[in-house]
Amino acid sequence: MTSKKLVNSVAGCADDALAGLVACNPNLQLLQGHRVALRSDLDSLKGQVALLSGGGSGHEPAHAGFIGKGMLTGVIAGAVFTSPAVGSILAAIRAVAQVGTVGTLLIVKNYTGDRLNFGLAREQARAEGIPVEMVVIGDDSAFTVLKKAGKRGLCGTVLIHKVAGALAEAGAGLEEITDRVSEVAKAMGTLGVSLSSCSVPGSKPTFELSADEVELGLGIHGEAGVHRIKMATADEIVALMLDHMTSSSNVSHVPVRSGSSVVLMVNNLGGLSFLELGIIAEAAVRSLEGRGVKIARALVGTFMSALDMPGISLTLLLVDEPLLKLIDAETTASAWPNVAKVSVTGRKRCRAAPAKPLEAPDSTAAGGAASKQMVLVLERVCATLLGLEERLNALDRAAGDGDCGTTHSCAARAIQGWLKEGPPPASPAQLLSKLALLLLEKMGGSSGALYGLFLTAAAQPLKAKTDLPAWSAAMDAGLEAMQKYGKAAPGDRTMLDSLWAAGQELQAWKSPGANLQILSKAVKSAEAAAEATRNMEAGAGRASYISSARLDQPDPGAVAAAAILRAVLEVLQSQDA
């Protein structure tokens, strides 16, 4: 079965892709009649060496993404995984020669078709009197025994583009650039690994891997690698890659050893997630530094892909300070990353977390009457939530993942464990703040965040006073925070419905002569509101995504909130009795 691709046609996909890049980049132009992209400021290059590269399409952003001041002058693109036509290569050479460049360097990856077609165009151009040189890049470190065809050209070619571009921009001559990049290429190696094959538009995947296999040492055209290994962790695969790349028993190894300074490229072969790419990059840095290798620069991203291949390649380039200056030189190429011009190794990567602000001393002694009452309230709340676990989970299954009871039980057990460590603060503000932090850490999910928000905000009015009007203000503050960040409103079938109903009753605490009896009305209103959620249409939370949008059971969060308020009331009533 062929893979699905977002293309207009298989035959025209390479032309459309290059046209799309040029359409979005004013610094590029197409060469009429050819699949060639050139710098739009070509006329400004009089007296400089021009740099041309290219190859088959399907390796984006290579090579056209690296056209720009300080990198390539132009690119000749073939069809997907197919060498470009000789006529187009020759047309590009003529185009840059006509603006007065003093020579052209062709940077070619080591594949038979590319060598032949670029080589033939070079000979034809030289016959016309145009000075043209060609360097063939082979940076593949996969083969332990060198084959007649030589090492394949891989992602390291992009670094050659950068070095050559910096030299050309600085005014170096054709012979100097050719000699310099030829030497640089000898100190570089690349190795790829993939979780599966890629698929060319209109075709099936180029090879098959079982679920527990990984392909090591593969190229960038969907061809199989040199080894098929068992799936392993990112750390293990990176270590294996670096071992293979740097082993002196491997004829194509990079002579990297302890004390070496390198540029590291972590290249996405096209289909790897950014999450995996970051994990691989960290593993590569850690593994290299563990071997005593200094990482002078690290480039992480997609530089030379193999269509949609879910894999990566690692490139190591041995560098000294003069070479680093060329790597660091400015470029306008859109695909070259904004790399910091400082060493990766030796940099402090972690900043100390800020110290927690000092808490105001608790005005009421811990372990006193108020503190003991707090313990009784919290113990009753915990017992209530643990007893409701199964019911809350059952209610939650209708709307989501059925874990509301489990989440509240986690919170209850966390509070119980906290109480065993010592008496809680007697100050209501400090107590609510401590509970907020505990629930944010231990409860998890949106419930933990909502309770944390509510308690954090509710604590603020209680810092100055703890009378009944202050408790009413605390309820108001908590509800306001929940609405602001949770985006729920009364009537949306959430835990807010119960708390809102209670909060409305507690407004009476702000009037003179108010007493604790108002809390009893508040709890009854909360319970009635929780029951009423069974007839509400979900307007927020996970239940709002249910296709029916109407559920015949009360919201579990609202039920839990009402039960918490009931537990608080029962303890306070027993204390007054």
Side-chain angles (χ1 to χ4, degrees):
M1 179 180 177
T2 59
S3 59
K4 292 187 289 186
K5 303 289 184 186
L6 284 172
V7 299
N8 295 314
S9 69
V10 171
C13 63
D15 293 286
D16 291 348
L18 191 62
L21 178 66
V22 172
C24 297
N25 190 338
N27 295 322
L28 304 183
Q29 288 181 325
L30 291 172
L31 186 62
Q32 187 174 4
H34 299 278
R35 198 182 293 125
V36 174
L38 298 166
R39 284 174 58 173
S40 57
D41 63 345
L42 206 59
D43 293 330
S44 68
L45 300 182
K46 184 177 181 179
Q48 289 188 21
V49 172
L51 305 173
L52 296 177
S53 188
S57 297
H59 304 304
E60 291 73 19
H63 296 273
F66 300 107
I67 299 174
K69 184 178 180 180
M71 286 194 81
L72 297 176
T73 310
V75 159
I76 308 94
V80 174
F81 293 170
T82 304
S83 298
V86 174
S88 291
I89 301 170
L90 183 58
I93 296 172
R94 288 169 176 163
V96 297
Q98 286 175 357
V99 300
T101 55
V102 294
T104 298
L105 176 62
L106 304 178
I107 302 172
V108 181
K109 299 189 300 301
N110 187 30
Y111 293 98
T112 302
D114 288 355
R115 289 197 318 271
L116 290 173
N117 290 6
F118 276 90
L120 181 53
R122 178 198 177 214
E123 294 302 320
Q124 291 178 344
R126 285 165 66 95
E128 296 175 8
I130 303 173
V132 183
E133 295 295 341
M134 185 169 97
V135 291
V136 179
I137 307 302
D139 57 312
D140 186 7
S141 293
F143 296 101
T144 55
V145 177
L146 201 57
K147 297 180 180 293
K148 183 178 180 180
K151 299 190 288 185
R152 296 172 293 192
L154 300 174
C155 188
T157 308
V158 174
L159 292 175
I160 299 301
H161 294 162
K162 185 67 183 64
V163 172
L167 289 168
E169 192 64 31
L174 179 58
E175 183 178 356
E176 180 186 351
I177 297 173
T178 303
D179 292 344
R180 186 71 187 277
V181 298
S182 297
E183 285 303 310
V184 171
K186 296 175 183 178
M188 178 174 67
T190 299
L191 187 67
V193 68
S194 182
L195 306 179
S196 66
S197 172
C198 63
S199 53
V200 176
S203 302
K204 298 178 181 180
T206 52
F207 61 84
E208 298 290 339
L209 282 174
S210 62
D212 64 342
E213 288 182 323
V214 173
E215 196 80 11
L216 178 70
L218 71 175
I220 53 172
H221 300 98
E223 66 270 40
V226 294
H227 292 300
R228 193 159 287 186
I229 60 176
K230 289 297 181 182
M231 187 66 192
T233 66
D235 284 352
E236 291 168 337
I237 287 176
V238 166
L240 180 65
M241 293 176 73
L242 293 175
D243 286 344
H244 188 93
M245 293 175 70
T246 60
S247 173
S248 58
S249 64
N250 176 3
V251 69
S252 58
H253 76 285
V254 193
V256 173
R257 55 185 62 87
S258 180
S260 296
S261 182
V262 302
V263 168
L264 165 69
M265 288 186 82
V266 182
N267 173 55
N268 188 348
L269 286 172
L272 207 67
S273 70
F274 281 96
L275 183 142
E276 293 164 286
L277 194 64
I279 293 170
I280 292 290
E282 194 276 335
V285 168
R286 180 163 30 85
S287 183
L288 284 168
E289 290 181 339
R291 300 163 189 243
V293 177
K294 177 186 176 182
I295 303 172
R297 303 289 185 270
L299 289 70
V300 182
T302 306
F303 306 103
M304 185 175 288
S305 66
L307 289 169
D308 55 354
M309 182 174 285
I312 56 104
S313 66
L314 299 179
T315 299
L316 297 177
L317 169 65
L318 287 162
V319 291
D320 54 18
E321 284 304 315
L323 184 52
L324 267 184
K325 288 182 179 179
L326 298 175
I327 296 291
D328 288 342
E330 295 297 323
T331 178
T332 61
S334 60
W336 183 260
N338 184 20
V339 181
K341 297 177 176 61
V342 293
S343 175
V344 170
T345 298
R347 182 178 62 88
K348 188 176 181 181
R349 294 178 187 143
C350 191
R351 179 184 293 273
K356 294 180 180 179
L358 295 175
E359 294 181 349
D362 196 343
S363 58
T364 309
S371 180
K372 290 177 180 177
Q373 188 179 58
M374 297 286 190
V375 171
L376 292 174
V377 168
L378 292 174
E379 287 176 343
R380 178 67 66 89
V381 168
C382 292
T384 298
L385 292 177
L386 289 170
L388 283 172
E389 180 174 2
E390 289 304 319
R391 184 189 175 205
L392 295 177
N393 280 342
L395 292 174
D396 195 33
R397 288 187 195 104
D401 48 11
D403 68 345
C404 183
T406 303
T407 301
H408 281 78
S409 290
C410 284
R413 292 188 182 94
I415 293 171
Q416 287 176 332
W418 178 59
L419 291 175
K420 289 179 181 178
E421 296 172 3
S427 161
Q430 291 187 17
L431 175 69
L432 297 189
S433 296
K434 292 282 189 182
L435 285 173
L437 293 174
L438 183 68
L439 297 185
L440 285 169
E441 181 182 353
K442 301 294 185 181
M443 190 175 188
S446 57
S447 294
L450 288 169
Y451 278 115
L453 276 168
F454 179 87
L455 293 170
T456 299
Q460 306 314 306
L462 297 173
K463 288 180 177 179
K465 295 182 179 180
T466 58
D467 55 9
L468 293 181
W471 279 101
S472 178
M475 189 70 163
D476 292 343
L479 290 169
E480 182 181 353
M482 288 182 74
Q483 291 181 87
K484 180 178 180 180
Y485 296 103
K487 296 299 182 183
D492 280 345
R493 196 182 187 276
T494 69
M495 63 188 291
L496 180 69
D497 290 299
S498 295
L499 294 172
W500 178 267
Q504 295 305 105
E505 294 290 347
L506 294 181
Q507 295 299 312
W509 272 353
K510 297 174 182 176
S511 303
N515 56 48
L516 200 59
Q517 292 302 314
I518 292 171
L519 181 58
S520 180
K521 293 182 180 180
V523 172
K524 290 177 182 179
S525 293
E527 291 171 338
E531 179 61 24
T533 58
R534 73 167 63 239
N535 300 316
M536 292 179 183
E537 182 174 327
R542 188 179 282 113
S544 64
Y545 299 106
I546 302 300
S547 58
S548 64
R550 288 190 177 275
L551 303 155
D552 59 1
Q553 295 293 328
D555 177 71
V559 170
I564 291 170
L565 293 174
R566 169 62 66 182
V568 173
L569 174 65
E570 289 174 351
V571 172
L572 296 180
Q573 285 178 332
S574 67
Q575 294 289 295
D576 285 346

